[in-house]
Amino acid sequence: MMKYRLTKKDFTGGFTVTYDEDNESLIELKNTFKYKGQKPDHSQMMSFLQLVPFSQRDLWKIEKDFNIKKMEVNKKTENKELYHRFCQLYNQMVYKHTGMPADWTTAPQAYGTGIHKIIQYLLHSSKEKLGHRATLSEIDTQALQAWEYILNHWEVIQREDEFLTRQIKPMQIASNLSSIIMILRNEARKSTPNQGISSQSKLDDLYG
């Protein structure tokens, strides 16, 4: 579910609208609008209701009519499939650069916590990049693409910062993620003009 709060100047309360995550259609609307302590009259309320779009993708069309704020939905912000894909990509990177599989057996909880922290960081960055109109699926995809990009360019980290490449456990990567992203940005700027445009565009697309 995707939930938004719609408010208006000079009014207290507002609409709370909920959209289906998959087809983005309106599934619930709650009204708490008041003007000077009283509910707006029927005609005024109907004029407000007629503005509310039936599709979440059309919310931008009413930005001049309402203040729009995305609300946190009381559910996990990551799904099991996303977590599985993040782990899969991490395992592939570790094997590629060490010749050994990632050691989840000695500290499985710490490894899992590290992956969760990485996911939360990249989900937050993706939300900021995509804006309030983005679906949870789009945000998940953006975060996964960012993670894949980072791991596919791990040799850049190896070349630029030997210390960071020794910090290969998920919790260590999570702690150094902002530094890792900065290294990739700087490397893109040092590329040849044609490569630089492509690489920098990709980084901007992923990290904003």
Side-chain angles (χ1 to χ4, degrees), residues 102-141:
D103 183 12
W104 288 75
T105 58
T106 54
Q109 186 173 356
Y111 269 61
T113 300
I115 294 292
H116 281 300
K117 285 182 177 294
I118 292 166
I119 292 173
Q120 290 305 312
Y121 182 101
L122 294 177
L123 283 176
H124 177 76
S125 298
S126 297
K127 287 179 184 179
E128 293 293 316
K129 170 65 181 175
L130 295 174
H132 66 76
R133 283 175 279 173
T135 66
L136 291 178
S137 177
E138 289 170 338
I139 293 169
D140 286 352
T141 299

Side-chain angles (χ1 to χ4, degrees), residues 7-198:
T7 58
K8 287 183 74 69
K9 184 180 179 182
D10 299 327
F11 288 83
T12 58
F15 289 142
T16 300
V17 292
T18 305
Y19 292 91
D20 183 86
E21 180 181 340
D22 295 321
N23 59 29
E24 303 177 13
S25 61
L26 182 67
I27 58 176
E28 185 179 65
L29 184 150
K30 294 182 179 179
N31 171 41
T32 58
F33 264 120
K34 286 187 178 181
Y35 181 70
K36 296 183 178 179
Q38 302 294 321
K39 289 185 178 180
D41 61 44
H42 179 73
S43 61
Q44 190 174 39
M45 183 53 59
M46 289 303 296
S47 68
F48 289 176
L49 286 169
Q50 288 172 359
L51 293 171
V52 178
F54 285 98
S55 172
Q56 180 263 347
R57 284 193 173 275
D58 292 328
L59 273 177
W60 66 272
K61 295 179 180 179
I62 62 169
E63 288 178 342
K64 65 180 185 300
D65 301 294
F66 296 96
N67 297 314
I68 304 172
K69 181 179 180 181
K70 189 169 186 178
M71 302 173 67
E72 291 295 325
V73 178
N74 187 24
K75 58 180 277 188
K76 289 186 177 180
T77 56
E78 63 183 70
N79 59 53
K80 290 181 180 179
E81 178 61 24
L82 184 67
Y83 174 80
H84 175 72
R85 287 292 294 128
F86 265 69
C87 292
Q88 203 173 45
L89 290 170
Y90 170 76
N91 290 338
Q92 291 170 2
M93 183 276 287
V94 171
Y95 189 81
K96 175 182 176 181
H97 289 280
T98 68
M100 300 286 290
D103 183 12
W104 288 75
T105 58
T106 54
Q109 186 173 356
Y111 269 61
T113 300
I115 294 292
H116 281 300
K117 285 182 177 294
I118 292 166
I119 292 173
Q120 290 305 312
Y121 182 101
L122 294 177
L123 283 176
H124 177 76
S125 298
S126 297
K127 287 179 184 179
E128 293 293 316
K129 170 65 181 175
L130 295 174
H132 66 76
R133 283 175 279 173
T135 66
L136 291 178
S137 177
E138 289 170 338
I139 293 169
D140 286 352
T141 299
Q142 181 86 355
L144 185 61
Q145 287 176 346
W147 182 229
E148 188 171 15
Y149 187 91
I150 290 167
L151 298 181
N152 285 345
H153 291 79
W154 199 253
E155 69 277 1
V156 175
I157 313 301
Q158 287 181 314
R159 186 169 64 247
E160 297 296 320
D161 194 316
E162 185 180 348
F163 171 77
L164 284 183
T165 54
R166 292 199 302 268
Q167 305 290 297
I168 201 169
K169 294 179 180 178
M171 191 69 82
Q172 295 170 327
I173 294 175
S175 299
N176 295 319
L177 206 48
S178 59
S179 298
I180 289 169
I181 291 172
M182 186 59 66
I183 287 173
L184 293 177
R185 279 184 172 278
N186 290 338
E187 179 64 19
R189 295 190 184 102
K190 292 189 294 185
S191 302
T192 61
N194 289 338
Q195 291 174 331
I197 292 171
S198 175

